[in-house]
Amino acid sequence: MSQLDGIRVVVLADRLVDLGARMLAELGAEVVLAQAGDGLTHERALAWRRGLATADEALPDLLAKADILLDDRRTETDRPEVDALAAANPSLVHVVATGFPQGDPRPVTDLTLMAESGLMHVTGTREAPPLRLPGEQAYALTGIQVATAALMGLAARRRIGKGQRITVSALQSAALANYREAVMYDWTGRIGSRKGNLLVRGSSGVRQVWPCADGFVTWSMVDNPGMMRAVVRQMEVEGAAGELSGIDWESILVAETEQATIDRWQALVASFFAAHTRAELGGWSLEQGWGLSTIVTLPEVRDSAHLKARGLFRDGLPGPLFQTHPPVVPT
């Protein structure tokens, strides 16, 4: 049995709730698309809306027996008729997704959300213009929060016996993905900037993406003594640790070490990583707790045995974008 068997979800989609609806469908809910906003790219619609049933009933009838309403208000701040229908079903979990605070006239697009959230401010290199993450990530980040809100609403309904209205802000959803900059400003008053391949936490910056023998991995030299000792032990096996062997990682702060020293240490790590494959480095990381992740290519994502085993991919594309309800056969 799926986690959401028997849960009925009605969706008024206009980009902000699309991925959230797909996530609930993947969890086993019956998801009905009652409205689909225009302009979503075909590829994104295939990824976010494929398999969602299209409504064959009027909205009042759908909401009367729904458990969840995902109400996308990217371009409409007020929907009194929808609010009235939702209020008539006291057990309904009504998730309203807005762009900016309700009533704000600014256009709600992936670009404006990325810029306003600060994500573009910290993405890319200092000498280059701000960069937007690929794939309409602001919409995707909002969809994740929409699905989370719906699940929390269901959990609350089990405890208190009634539904509720939950508002999700797309701007806040994107800003949450930029949490480190907000926390840094709150604690230090510093405003972050684009650092490229550096992770800056104190007075120095450490590298994040590293070339290896057959591609790239992501790892950073941070203030985690156990992790650092594990990496150095493996380097010592091959005689590649150098001065890293003599460091008491418990008694120093990497974030407050001089940049020249950090660069010297990282040169040793870079040589070690370059001599090994992603599989070797990733295996050691899992076994020994390095905190390292391998970076895969797009063809490798498609051919991933792990993702195939989880049923992530679907055969038969291209095909109908939306599935319709089967005819009701009288019993």
Side-chain angles (χ1 to χ4, degrees):
M1 177 180 292
S2 299
Q3 294 94 324
L4 296 184
D5 274 349
I7 297 296
R8 290 164 294 192
V9 182
V10 176
V11 184
L12 305 176
D14 190 17
R15 298 189 178 128
L16 297 184
V17 306
D18 299 58
L19 182 59
R22 176 64 186 269
M23 292 173 70
L24 296 179
E26 292 286 345
L27 290 172
E30 176 192 349
V31 182
V32 178
L33 189 67
Q35 173 184 301
D38 298 328
L40 194 70
T41 65
H42 182 67
E43 292 80 9
R44 197 73 61 236
L46 286 174
W48 292 356
R49 294 181 183 168
R50 183 176 177 80
L52 305 188
T54 49
D56 61 357
E57 297 180 73
L59 188 60
D61 296 328
L62 289 171
L63 293 185
K65 57 187 179 183
D67 297 288
I68 297 170
L69 169 61
L70 303 184
D71 186 355
D72 194 324
R73 302 193 181 185
R74 188 175 71 89
T75 57
E76 296 183 60
T77 56
D78 295 311
R79 278 182 175 164
E81 70 288 353
V82 173
D83 289 337
L85 291 172
N89 180 352
S91 66
L92 184 70
V93 176
H94 183 189
V95 181
V96 177
T98 66
F100 301 103
Q102 292 195 36
D104 193 311
R106 287 176 292 177
V108 180
T109 68
D110 184 72
L111 178 62
T112 58
L113 292 169
M114 279 285 166
E116 291 280 354
S117 69
L119 283 171
M120 290 178 64
H121 184 66
V122 297
T123 304
T125 59
R126 187 186 300 273
E127 65 276 5
L131 293 175
R132 182 172 67 91
L133 297 174
E136 297 178 332
Q137 290 297 309
Y139 296 151
L141 291 167
T142 307
I144 293 169
Q145 298 296 335
V146 163
T148 302
L151 294 173
M152 292 178 68
L154 286 179
R157 190 178 72 173
R158 293 192 189 102
R159 297 184 63 183
I160 65 177
K162 62 180 180 179
Q164 61 181 297
R165 178 187 173 109
I166 307 170
T167 301
V168 174
S169 161
L171 175 62
Q172 188 176 18
S173 298
L176 286 172
N178 192 22
Y179 73 95
R180 198 180 72 84
E181 302 303 321
V183 171
M184 181 177 71
Y185 178 78
D186 191 38
W187 282 83
T188 69
R190 289 186 299 182
I191 298 176
S193 61
R194 296 185 292 282
K195 297 292 193 302
N197 195 23
L198 284 181
L199 172 63
V200 179
R201 289 187 168 176
S203 60
S204 60
V206 293
R207 189 171 187 165
Q208 299 181 90
V209 178
W210 307 72
C212 61
D214 61 347
F216 296 88
V217 296
T218 176
W219 178 85
S220 293
M221 182 178 289
V222 295
D223 290 306
N224 184 325
M227 182 189 81
M228 292 305 307
R229 286 195 300 269
V231 174
V232 172
R233 278 196 298 268
Q234 189 62 48
M235 294 175 69
E236 288 172 338
V237 171
E238 302 180 21
E243 66 178 288
L244 297 179
S245 293
I247 298 173
D248 180 0
W249 299 103
E250 300 278 2
S251 63
I252 70 163
L253 281 176
V254 174
E256 299 302 332
T257 301
E258 291 185 358
Q259 189 65 55
T261 302
I262 293 291
D263 292 343
R264 193 171 65 246
W265 293 349
Q266 290 189 138
L268 294 169
V269 176
S271 297
F272 173 68
F273 284 174
H276 295 281
T277 65
R278 289 175 298 166
E280 290 174 316
L281 296 171
W284 285 326
S285 178
L286 288 173
E287 295 167 5
Q288 302 171 18
W290 292 9
L292 175 145
S293 298
T294 59
I295 298 177
V296 299
T297 64
L298 287 177
E300 289 170 335
V301 171
R302 181 192 61 206
D303 297 331
S304 166
H306 172 68
L307 296 179
K308 287 180 179 178
R310 294 182 63 189
L312 181 66
F313 302 113
R314 300 290 186 271
D315 295 329
L317 294 179
L321 192 55
F322 307 117
Q323 296 175 354
T324 57
H325 287 297
V328 177
V329 180
T331 58

